[in-house]
Amino acid sequence: MTSLLILNGPNLNLLGQRQPEVYGTTTLSDIEAMSQAKAASFSVGLEFKQSNSEGEMVDIIHAAKGQHDGIILNAGAYTHTSIALMDAVSSVELPVIELHLSNIHAREEFRHKSYVAKVAVGVICGFGAVGYELAVEAMVRHLRASE
Ligand code: DQA
């Protein structure tokens, strides 16, 4: 069975309370439920994780190899800073979709740069929690197209 990993980075555990004017009022556990339902609708498995630690995120990406077929990565602020996460993605040779709730290109200049995008199949941003459903569909279609 095809299996996907959704990995969320720092501060995303606070969704629902954190800057709702930017990130909405949906909690991360609501988003997990939406993502699981979307994955089930395509008959694919899904593991959903969150970490506030860059090193732990590197370990989770490494562990995905052999366990999952693709990764949906909302790396939070590490998107804009982490060469280590970019290298981890390159090392495991799994397709990655970069995901953000907000439209990072309509925000501060420092959010316009992404290390993850350099090694991603594509980027989805600006659609709030719905972006997670879009990313699940995009990854399933990407994987099926390359079968
Ligand atoms: C974010 C955008 C990042 O710039 C920010 O640091 C986050 C959340 C988003 O989902 O919109 O933590 O990844």
Side-chain angles (χ1 to χ4, degrees), residues 10-12 18 22-23 74-80 99-104 107 110-111 132:
N11 303 305
L12 292 166
R18 174 194 182 200
V22 178
Y23 298 116
N74 184 349
Y78 291 141
T79 306
H80 318 299
L99 175 64
H100 302 282
L101 294 135
S102 63
N103 178 358
I104 56 173
R107 300 182 64 196
F110 61 83
R111 295 186 205 275
Y132 284 76

